[in-house]
């Protein structure tokens, strides 16, 4: 069987990474160009692999008796994403770290990390999947410790290693249980066999897979390490938040055929993912540091992505990973210009403060527009599942705040028309992207489960939770000057101290004055 050309990309990057790690000091510009060139060559291989998939269809290839890679719509998409972001990050780092004493080591470990993520998204069996996760943890730790003299960097690296390694352990145990139950570690075979139902041991394995995803995506209450890694260079933040943090979602999407056979763990994904998304999005609004606010934004986005997985909307979850990765890489790499950009913007006049009546009208109007668009799309492309309709309503809640400002008594007519147009555009974009994602990745992923009693309860819970938070946010200017608000803001800015509680639970950290951390 043909070897997928995408499988050559991580091998190329690893070979180049070895050259830089071997000589970790300062490198002349013409040698640093090799790092950027290797990422461009990797993109070329991935594009060639995409053409190979387009012409020959899905395929798998066994590298040895225990390792295999796959080529399908999902792996091609994620390989294109990872290789492109890897090139952008490497190109940025080539300039931002010019002259650093250990710039060679930085480029080496960056290329190695990109290679490990490329291995992850192409994994054809659980062996490669586990090896990729372990490699990512080892390589990323080296990047987090690029400035080993900084105690905050050593602390963040220690906490990351603890949480990430715990996820590796749960994944290994889950893989062993699946192998003992079904007699194979091949991902495609597992999805086919699991369609007939999961025995008790396999149910435990799926629960461990979900626990692995929660650990890898920094869900509550182990989110603290992601907000503490800002001591690393900005390219590390971009690579981490735009690529590595998605690994938990990639795991679930890769094994979607197995995970969806357990309604209980799907419910856990909805509840924990939704809770994390709500909590982190509120905390994000209280942060004064740009990169810290972006970190909380990532936690919220990952929570929402796991919520989509829990609802069985796998194509939309994959689309979320692609969109968030591109956006967050740009956000981190351009964060240095954020203050200058904000100061250059002409300051707006007084903000129209909506009252309770305007807020209620805004939500009613947004949902009416959404319902109209949903009805039209139903007539054109067919009915949507309750899960998909509920997710679209949650997204519309996000623009209801804008509509509330447009409906405020002091709002000009132009603002009202603009905000109503934003709601309509959001609804059209949601259904348009849904149709597109389903056409591209739907055939390779299981359809959402039929909505039974449990699914309907989760849908109602999600709508009430996100709707309540959206209403509270819309009314924030109305009660922002209340004395209790200042105290609440302080507590939210500290994440309700959940990270401190987690530190206490794991015994806390003692950071030494040496180059390595002590736990």
């Amino acid at each position: 069987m043909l070897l997928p050309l995408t499988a050559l990309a991580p091998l190329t990057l690893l070979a180049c990474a070895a050259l830089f790690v071997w000589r970790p000091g300062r490198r002349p510009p013409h040698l640093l160009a090799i790092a950027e060139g290797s990422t461009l060559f990797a993109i070329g291989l991935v594009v060639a692999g995409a053409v190979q998939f387009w012409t020959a269809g899905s395929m798998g290839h066994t590298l040895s008796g225990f390792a295999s890679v796959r080529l399908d719509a999902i792996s091609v998409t994620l390989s294109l994403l990872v290789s492109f972001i890897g090139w952008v990050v490497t190109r940025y780092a080539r300039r931002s770290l010019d002259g650093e004493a250990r710039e060679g080591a930085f480029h080496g470990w960056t290329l190695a990390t990109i290679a490990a993520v490329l291995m992850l998204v192409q994994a054809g069996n659980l062996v490669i999947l586990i090896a990729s996760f372990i490699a990512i943890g080892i390589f990323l730790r080296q990047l987090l410790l690029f400035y080993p003299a900084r105690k905050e960097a050593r602390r963040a690296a220690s906490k990351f290693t603890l949480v990430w390694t715990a996820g590796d352990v749960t994944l290994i145990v889950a893989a062993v249980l699946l192998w003992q139950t079904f007699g194979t570690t091949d991902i495609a075979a597992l999805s086919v066999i699991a369609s007939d139902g999961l025995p008790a041991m396999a149910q435990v394995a799926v629960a461990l897979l979900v626990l692995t995803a929660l650990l890898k995506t920094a869900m509550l209450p182990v989110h603290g390490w992601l907000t503490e890694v800002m001591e690393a260079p900005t390219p590390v933040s971009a690579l981490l938040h735009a690529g590595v943090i998605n690994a938990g979602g990639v795991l679930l999407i890769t094994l979607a055929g197995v995970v969806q056979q357990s309604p209980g763990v799907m419910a856990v994904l909805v509840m924990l993912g939704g809770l994390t998304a709500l909590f982190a999005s509120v905390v994000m609004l209280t942060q004064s540091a740009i990169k810290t606010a972006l970190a909380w934004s990532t936690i919220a986005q990952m929570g929402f992505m796991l919520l989509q997985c829990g609802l069985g909307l796998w194509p939309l979850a994959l689309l979320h990973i692609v969109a968030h990765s591109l956006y967050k890489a740009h956000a981190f790499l351009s964060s240095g210009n954020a203050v200058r950009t904000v100061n250059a913007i002409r300051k707006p006049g007084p903000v129209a403060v909506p009252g309770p009546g305007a807020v209620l009208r805004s939500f009613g109007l947004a949902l009416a527009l959404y319902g109209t668009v949903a009805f039209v799309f139903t007539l054109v492309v067919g009915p949507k599942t309750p899960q998909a309709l509920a997710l679209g309503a949650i997204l519309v809640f996000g623009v209801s705040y804008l509509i509330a400002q447009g409906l405020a008594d002091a709002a000009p007519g132009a603002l009202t028309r603009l905000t109503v147009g934003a709601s309509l555009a959001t609804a059209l974009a949601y259904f348009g992207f849904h149709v597109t994602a389903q056409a591209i990745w739907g055939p390779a992923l299981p359809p959402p489960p039929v909505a039974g009693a449990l699914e309907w309860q989760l849908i109602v819970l999600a709508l009430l939770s996100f709707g309540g938070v959206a209403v509270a946010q819309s009314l924030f200017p109305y009660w922002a000057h209340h004395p209790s608000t200042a105290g609440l803001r302080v507590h939210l800015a500290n994440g309700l101290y959940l990270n401190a509680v987690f530190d206490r639970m794991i015994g806390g950290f003692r950071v030494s004055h040496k180059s390595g951390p002590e736990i």
Side-chain angles (χ1 to χ4, degrees):
M1 186 174 292
L2 291 175
L3 173 68
L5 294 176
T6 53
L8 299 176
L11 299 178
T12 301
L13 294 175
L14 284 175
C16 186
L19 296 176
F20 283 91
V21 173
W22 178 53
R23 294 184 59 188
R26 294 180 180 176
R27 310 302 296 272
H30 70 278
L31 288 181
L32 293 179
I34 296 177
E36 183 181 342
S38 67
T39 57
L40 282 173
F41 187 67
I43 292 177
L45 289 172
V46 173
V47 171
V51 174
Q52 187 180 20
F53 165 71
W54 182 267
T55 57
S58 301
M59 65 180 67
H61 184 85
T62 300
L63 302 176
S64 62
F66 59 89
S68 64
V69 294
R70 73 186 199 282
L71 183 71
D72 55 25
I74 297 172
S75 67
V76 166
T77 300
L78 292 174
S79 295
L80 286 169
L81 174 69
V82 172
S83 58
F84 174 72
I85 291 179
W87 169 65
V88 172
V89 169
T90 305
R91 181 177 176 83
Y92 182 96
R94 182 182 168 187
R95 291 164 174 78
S96 67
L97 294 174
D98 184 29
E100 289 278 356
R102 299 176 59 245
E103 62 178 335
F106 181 88
H107 287 286
W109 293 120
T110 298
L111 294 175
T113 304
I114 297 169
V117 179
L118 281 172
M119 289 172 55
L120 173 68
V121 301
Q122 300 178 57
N125 64 9
L126 298 179
V127 175
I128 293 293
L129 206 63
I130 292 171
S132 301
F133 271 114
I134 293 175
I136 291 171
I138 294 173
F139 300 152
L140 187 60
R141 177 181 171 84
Q142 299 300 318
L143 291 174
L144 296 177
L145 289 172
F146 183 70
Y147 297 117
R150 298 182 181 180
K151 290 190 289 187
E152 292 82 1
R154 300 201 303 274
R155 175 187 176 90
S158 295
K159 188 180 290 188
F160 161 76
T161 300
L162 177 64
V163 176
W164 193 269
T165 303
D168 292 338
V169 172
T170 55
L171 178 58
I172 292 172
V173 176
V176 171
L177 292 177
L178 290 174
W179 175 65
Q180 290 182 339
T181 303
F182 299 121
T184 181
T185 61
D186 183 77
I187 291 173
L190 286 172
S191 298
V192 173
I193 299 173
S195 62
D196 295 329
L198 299 178
M201 188 177 295
Q203 292 279 358
V204 175
V206 172
L208 290 173
L209 289 176
V210 170
L211 178 57
T212 301
L214 295 174
L215 291 168
K216 301 294 186 182
T217 50
M219 293 294 99
L220 293 177
V222 297
H223 61 283
W225 66 267
L226 190 60
T227 63
E228 296 179 6
V229 297
M230 300 307 158
E231 287 297 313
T234 296
V236 178
S237 298
L239 182 61
L240 171 60
H241 289 261
V244 175
I245 195 63
N246 296 317
V250 172
L251 171 67
L252 294 177
I253 293 171
T254 301
L255 292 165
V258 180
V259 174
Q260 189 161 298
Q261 297 303 314
S262 178
V265 298
M266 295 283 282
V268 170
L269 282 173
V270 171
M271 291 185 288
L272 286 182
L275 176 62
T276 301
L278 290 171
F279 175 73
S281 61
V282 172
V283 173
M284 176 192 66
L285 299 176
T286 66
Q287 302 301 308
S288 57
I290 296 172
K291 291 178 68 175
T292 304
L294 289 175
W296 280 104
S297 168
T298 296
I299 296 172
Q301 294 292 337
M302 291 300 98
F304 197 71
M305 183 267 296
L306 293 187
L307 167 69
Q308 293 170 311
C309 292
L311 291 174
L313 302 173
W314 303 104
L316 284 178
L318 181 54
L319 177 63
H320 193 140
I321 288 177
V322 173
H324 174 261
S325 296
L326 295 173
Y327 150 71
K328 196 53 64 73
H330 176 268
F332 268 103
L333 295 180
S334 62
S335 61
N337 296 324
V339 175
R340 186 185 311 123
T341 302
V342 171
N343 288 333
I345 297 176
R346 183 173 61 86
K347 299 300 185 291
V351 177
V353 178
V359 170
L360 292 178
R361 291 195 301 272
S362 71
F363 275 78
L365 178 59
L367 291 175
L369 290 172
Y370 173 72
T372 302
V373 174
F375 177 74
V376 173
F377 267 84
T378 298
L379 293 178
V380 175
V381 299
K384 297 296 179 184
T385 63
Q387 296 94 322
L389 293 174
L391 186 69
I394 291 173
L395 293 176
V396 168
F397 288 156
V399 297
S400 295
Y401 168 69
L402 296 176
I403 297 180
Q405 286 187 321
L407 295 180
D409 294 335
L415 178 61
T416 302
R417 292 189 294 271
L418 180 63
T419 53
V420 171
S423 179
L424 179 61
T426 300
L428 289 171
Y430 170 72
F431 285 105
F433 282 127
H434 190 185
V435 171
T436 303
Q438 186 64 36
I440 297 174
W441 304 303
L445 293 166
V450 177
L454 176 61
E455 285 76 18
W456 276 110
Q457 292 174 13
L458 293 173
I459 289 172
V460 172
L461 176 63
L463 288 173
L464 292 177
S465 301
F466 280 88
V469 171
V471 169
Q473 181 184 7
S474 299
L475 289 173
F476 180 78
Y478 194 70
W479 52 269
H481 301 292
H482 193 279
S484 62
T485 303
L488 177 61
R489 183 181 181 87
V490 171
H491 298 314
L492 288 174
N494 287 280
L496 299 183
Y497 313 102
L498 292 179
N499 190 33
V501 173
F502 177 70
D503 283 349
R504 182 65 60 88
M505 290 173 58
I506 62 178
F509 289 93
R510 299 190 309 276
V511 181
S512 71
H513 296 284
K514 302 176 182 179
S515 60
E518 292 181 2
I519 298 179

